[in-house]
Amino acid sequence: MYKIGVVGLGVMGANLARNIASKGFPVAGYDLDAAKTQAFAAGQPSGSGIGSADAPDRLMAVLERPRRVLMMVPAGAPVDSVIAHLRPHLQREDILIDGGNSFFKDTDRRADDLAAAGFRFVGMGVSGGEEGALRGPSIMPGGPRDAWEALAPILRAMAAKADDGDPCVSYMGPR
């Protein structure tokens, strides 16, 4: 079983997946563009802790429950499109994370909508660009506290480290 799924395998998403796996958390990648999923899967060395899925139901089948799904797609309509694509395959208490630095009013709307259906939604700023995604970004998650607690070990491990060794991630609150 994989600890987390990454949806959106552009450079940022693929680099975050590699970062997560390098910290000992098995990760499965998926992209709505089958060619991106295939290219991502083909580029992973054996034993890397990285897998892939070619459909949303297959992604959900390989994820540990509650499922943790990090969406790395551009802010705006693409986030809503991916949520609509994944939503039929989610179960109560699953955690959907938007890592695309969305506008806060969009995040609030999505959080309310998904909470009403029993899902947990985390809006998460990810700072550091493509290189930071691979080597350690600064991460700013907000959403339900229990979702933060389920994500914290992964986020702390993958985050950049300050000079004193503390991870550059902190829970930003419920919204």
Side-chain angles (χ1 to χ4, degrees):
M1 298 299 281
Y2 294 94
K3 285 279 191 186
I4 190 166
V6 175
V7 176
L9 297 174
V11 176
M12 285 287 291
N15 279 353
L16 280 173
R18 290 181 189 102
N19 176 340
I20 294 165
S22 76
K23 303 304 188 279
F25 296 95
V27 60
Y30 169 70
D31 199 287
L32 277 66
D33 179 343
K36 285 184 181 178
T37 302
Q38 291 166 356
F40 175 76
Q44 304 313 317
S46 178
S48 66
I50 299 175
S52 64
D54 61 1
D57 60 328
R58 291 189 181 115
L59 175 66
M60 298 307 166
V62 300
L63 294 177
E64 174 183 283
R65 290 189 181 148
R67 297 177 185 115
R68 298 162 187 88
V69 180
L70 171 57
M71 299 179 296
M72 288 304 299
V73 298
V79 176
D80 292 319
S81 176
V82 171
I83 290 171
H85 184 77
L86 297 174
R87 190 173 179 153
H89 308 283
L90 296 171
Q91 293 180 345
R92 291 184 63 76
E93 301 302 315
D94 284 348
I95 303 167
L96 202 54
I97 309 135
D98 173 13
N101 299 324
S102 288
F103 181 58
F104 77 97
K105 289 185 179 183
D106 289 337
T107 299
D108 288 347
R109 171 181 51 80
R110 293 174 185 129
D112 291 342
D113 180 52
L114 290 164
F119 310 126
R120 297 178 284 175
F121 186 74
V122 172
M124 187 170 81
V126 179
S127 182
E130 295 171 358
E131 188 72 16
L134 183 61
R135 304 204 187 286
S138 176
I139 310 169
M140 299 138 291
R145 179 165 283 283
D146 62 342
W148 156 249
E149 291 167 2
L151 295 168
I154 297 169
L155 298 180
R156 286 183 177 127
M158 67 185 271
K161 304 300 183 272
D163 290 340
D164 64 4
D166 283 346
C168 296
V169 59
S170 186
Y171 175 60
M172 297 289 114
R175 299 299 266 186

